Amino acid sequence: MSYRPLYVFNTLSGEKELFTPIVEGRVGMYVCGPTVYSDVHLGNCRTFVSFDMIYRYLLHLGYKVRYVRNITDVGHLVGDTDTGAEDKIGRIARLERIEPMEVVQKYSNGFHEVMALLNALNPSIEPSATGHIIEQIEMVQKIIDNGFAYETNGSVYFDTLKYAEQTGQYGKLSGRVIDELINESRDNLKNQGEKRHPSDFALWIKADESHLMRWPSKWSVGFPGWHLECSAMSTKYLGTTFDIHGGGQDLKFPHHENEIAQNHGACLSNPVKYWLHGNMLLMNGKKMSKSDGNSILPMELISGNNDIFKEAFSPMTLRFFMMQSHYRSTLDITYDALKAAEKGFSKIKDAYNLIPRLKKAPGSQPVKINQTILSEIEGMYEDMGNDFNTPKALARIFELVSIVNIYHNNPQQEEGLNEESIRLLSSAFDTFVSDVMGIRLKDDILTDGENYTEGLMDIILELRAKARENKDWPTSDLIRDKLSEMNIQVKDGKDGVTWSTGK
Ligand code: AMP
Ligand code: ZN
């Protein structure tokens, strides 16, 4: 089977490369998931939505994809430091006087709800760090056996200098040099006394009595270092070398750099063929970050219950907003940008709803127009195949929106649209907007993720038609006005009643 060409920007080489999977027809993809100690903010969601789009496109191309996205529920320490600080989840458990696993469950549930709202597909496997302690301990042992790690006072550290000397690789992904790392580490990290070199990082950390989450090991009762889980779980589910590893840009160093070092330390091979990194969501020009107080939760934006934008934006408007920028560019969320996205998305939905109502032209006249539609579809494959260029593909969708509107507004044009054109138009929207970009076109009003809206609208409009038949104008007007309050506009036209969302 042949696949359409796909070029991806590989952070490791700094270049766009032709994607060729290790095993023909199959793709293994690992994406770093959330640390479940608080609600995911919209910035975190951007990264997961970007990789959802990538997953969807790979599936669309016909690959059989094993998509692993983990849940970090132990080992990620406050301030993203290495040792000496409290576990992020343990800290919340202590403050709220609940079990760490209650913290994990609560925020994992919340994360899943938000992902469903944003129409992200479930990964094939969602492993958690606490569920893979044995695999992590085994990996530490392998790294020690291969001479890339050492124990001090019950903790185990990765020997970065030895690894750098033997492989020349440490810092390759993030573009840092070891001397720079040594200085940086000396400034930032605690417990440096236990390490041979300041840039060494912890694989296993001895826990003190106050530490809530700890497990026995031959070195100490302790817990794994933050980076270890991803190495252990990606190896377990995707093998020692797999196709794609993803995550946000901010994870390049130290998290991903250390993942590579660990995998190499344990398996003596490079773990990942293509490293893909998504760029950051900014809010009013600054990186969205909870610790900096510059963040908004998806539910706050969807409900309108927030002091920042003070207005509700639907989940699919948010998804459209994200897809309008390339996943490797920064994206700044502002009120004006959200309003523009709402307007743009409305245009797409309106055009999509009009397609089945377009007047069909008799005969086989519109060869030219079919070719235009076909070339836009081909163009969208080129855009998506060029490192997932969703903004360019959306620009082509707007070209198709113009075609729909021209033929809708001038139905008596000689060169009308024939059935084939109408089918091509619908399939272009269904394929690229709905299936690949994950922007639901049919249902974006109810926020429960169910596809009820179309059916409900049919019933409501039927009741309204009955009221009009009976000359019950107050009821008919009441239905129209109430729908309008919900941002649903009903139009009585020559060809019947139509409805659309947006103002
Ligand atoms: P964390 O829960 O901190 O481990 O982060 C989960 C994911 O969200 C990681 O892939 C981060 O890179 C990503 N992330 C954090 N902040 C942002 C942001 N402002 N924009 C985009 N992605 C982000
Ligand atoms: Zn990770």
Side-chain angles (χ1 to χ4, degrees), residues 89-256:
I89 287 152
R91 180 172 163 272
I92 300 296
R94 178 175 60 77
L95 292 175
E96 296 190 8
R97 293 173 178 232
I98 56 176
E99 280 290 322
M101 279 301 128
E102 276 182 278
V103 178
V104 167
Q105 192 67 56
K106 177 177 168 188
Y107 293 113
S108 299
N109 291 347
F111 170 61
H112 291 142
E113 280 163 21
V114 167
M115 285 295 100
L117 266 180
L118 292 172
N119 201 28
L121 301 173
N122 291 324
S124 331
I125 306 177
E126 193 175 50
S128 69
T130 55
H132 295 77
I133 298 293
I134 291 172
E135 287 82 352
Q136 294 183 74
I137 289 175
E138 283 171 0
M139 192 163 222
V140 175
Q141 189 59 54
K142 276 192 188 161
I143 302 173
I144 294 176
D145 292 347
N146 285 334
F148 289 109
Y150 57 91
E151 184 207 333
T152 317
N153 293 337
S155 291
V156 181
Y157 295 99
F158 190 92
D159 193 335
T160 48
L161 222 56
K162 188 165 179 193
Y163 170 70
E165 276 164 14
Q166 287 201 4
T167 65
Q169 293 220 40
Y170 197 59
K172 198 174 164 210
L173 180 80
S174 53
R176 303 190 183 206
V177 290
I178 192 103
D179 292 344
E180 194 186 311
L181 292 177
I182 290 171
N183 289 333
E184 204 166 304
S185 307
R186 189 175 285 133
D187 291 344
N188 292 342
L189 303 182
K190 298 179 188 169
N191 278 16
Q192 293 290 13
E194 294 188 348
K195 300 177 181 179
R196 286 185 193 160
H197 310 290
S199 59
D200 292 354
F201 58 91
L203 299 174
W204 185 261
I205 302 163
K206 183 179 172 182
D208 58 35
E209 290 295 309
S210 66
H211 207 93
L212 294 172
M213 287 185 282
R214 50 208 169 109
W215 292 263
S217 77
K218 68 189 272 195
W219 311 290
S220 64
V221 174
F223 58 96
W226 169 34
H227 320 297
L228 190 63
E229 52 164 309
C230 292
S231 286
M233 298 189 292
S234 61
T235 307
K236 173 164 176 146
Y237 296 113
L238 299 171
T240 49
T241 305
F242 55 95
D243 299 295
I244 297 176
H245 193 313
Q249 290 252 59
D250 56 341
L251 295 187
K252 271 191 233 170
F253 184 84
H255 187 56
H256 291 161

Side-chain angles (χ1 to χ4, degrees), residues 344-403:
F345 179 41
S346 218
K347 278 188 189 155
I348 292 183
K349 270 186 302 182
D350 290 349
Y352 180 72
N353 285 328
L354 284 175
I355 296 172
R357 300 188 187 104
L358 289 175
K359 208 163 163 184
K360 292 188 186 77
S364 56
Q365 180 74 11
V367 174
K368 203 175 95 224
I369 196 76
N370 271 355
Q371 274 168 354
T372 310
I373 300 170
L374 277 172
S375 87
E376 293 298 358
I377 292 175
E378 268 315 299
M380 284 193 271
Y381 278 113
E382 274 167 33
D383 298 333
M384 291 304 296
N386 183 7
D387 197 27
F388 313 101
N389 199 328
T390 55
K392 274 199 158 171
L394 277 175
R396 293 185 194 274
I397 286 289
F398 278 109
E399 292 297 323
L400 300 183
V401 166
S402 303
I403 294 179

Side-chain angles (χ1 to χ4, degrees), residues 277-441:
H277 287 100
N279 215 325
M280 295 293 106
L281 181 72
L282 316 179
M283 187 156 70
N284 298 316
K286 236 181 95 209
K287 179 189 166 187
M288 187 171 286
S289 146
K290 194 177 175 231
S291 51
D292 292 347
N294 187 41
S295 69
I296 189 162
L297 302 179
M299 276 319 289
E300 291 173 336
L301 205 48
I302 291 165
S303 64
N305 194 5
N306 67 82
D307 292 334
I308 305 167
F309 300 114
K310 299 189 177 69
E311 210 173 294
F313 292 94
S314 75
M316 289 307 104
T317 298
L318 297 183
R319 189 146 179 152
F320 173 79
F321 169 68
M322 291 178 185
M323 290 297 129
Q324 265 190 316
S325 87
H326 188 259
Y327 79 98
R328 281 193 299 113
S329 306
T330 51
L331 170 63
D332 194 6
I333 188 165
T334 62
Y335 178 78
D336 290 346
L338 284 171
K339 288 306 278 183
E342 190 175 55
K343 215 167 146 192
F345 179 41
S346 218
K347 278 188 189 155
I348 292 183
K349 270 186 302 182
D350 290 349
Y352 180 72
N353 285 328
L354 284 175
I355 296 172
R357 300 188 187 104
L358 289 175
K359 208 163 163 184
K360 292 188 186 77
S364 56
Q365 180 74 11
V367 174
K368 203 175 95 224
I369 196 76
N370 271 355
Q371 274 168 354
T372 310
I373 300 170
L374 277 172
S375 87
E376 293 298 358
I377 292 175
E378 268 315 299
M380 284 193 271
Y381 278 113
E382 274 167 33
D383 298 333
M384 291 304 296
N386 183 7
D387 197 27
F388 313 101
N389 199 328
T390 55
K392 274 199 158 171
L394 277 175
R396 293 185 194 274
I397 286 289
F398 278 109
E399 292 297 323
L400 300 183
V401 166
S402 303
I403 294 179
V404 173
N405 289 334
I406 288 169
Y407 283 90
H408 173 71
N409 295 332
N410 307 296
Q412 50 281 61
Q413 277 205 58
E414 245 179 62
E415 206 184 79
L417 288 179
N418 70 1
E419 265 194 79
E420 177 61 1
S421 302
I422 291 174
R423 195 193 59 75
L424 283 174
L425 276 170
S426 285
S427 91
F429 282 71
D430 286 337
T431 301
F432 289 96
V433 185
S434 301
D435 296 351
V436 171
M437 294 192 219
I439 305 167
R440 271 196 310 266
L441 285 165

